[in-house]
Amino acid sequence: TNKKAFSSGFTYGLGFGLMFYAYALLFWYGAKLVRDRTNTFEDMVTAMIAAIVGSDAFFTAGVYAPDMKNGIEAGKRLFKIYK
């Protein structure tokens, strides 16, 4: 299962790399819009926070997606115990 660990680690690292690249791109473009007076600094910060929080939630969901089946099965077993 070294292959699985490598694949998981590589995907995790690639995901974070792409996420931070997107943050840098957003920051650069937002600064350009503020410089050109197309947007305000407050609007840029609001948009960046929304993008960061949204991408973090999406990325986190993607990381845990393979374990979703195990979680659903564990939940079913818990409900059987409580019945």
Side-chain angles (χ1 to χ4, degrees), residues 5-83:
F6 176 79
S7 174
S8 178
F10 181 78
T11 304
Y12 190 76
L14 182 65
F16 265 111
L18 290 173
M19 190 170 66
F20 285 117
Y21 175 74
Y23 295 166
L25 188 63
L26 283 170
F27 190 76
W28 168 80
Y29 188 66
K32 181 181 178 310
L33 291 176
V34 170
R35 183 194 66 198
D36 295 342
R37 299 194 189 282
T38 306
N39 234 346
T40 65
F41 178 76
E42 290 80 12
D43 288 342
M44 181 194 81
V45 171
T46 301
M48 284 191 63
I49 290 173
I52 288 170
V53 170
S55 65
D56 183 56
F58 181 76
F59 181 65
T60 302
V63 168
Y64 294 114
D67 297 326
M68 192 71 85
K69 181 180 177 187
N70 294 339
I72 290 170
E73 291 301 318
K76 287 179 183 178
R77 287 192 303 270
L78 283 174
F79 282 114
K80 283 182 182 178
I81 291 171
Y82 288 124
K83 282 186 178 182

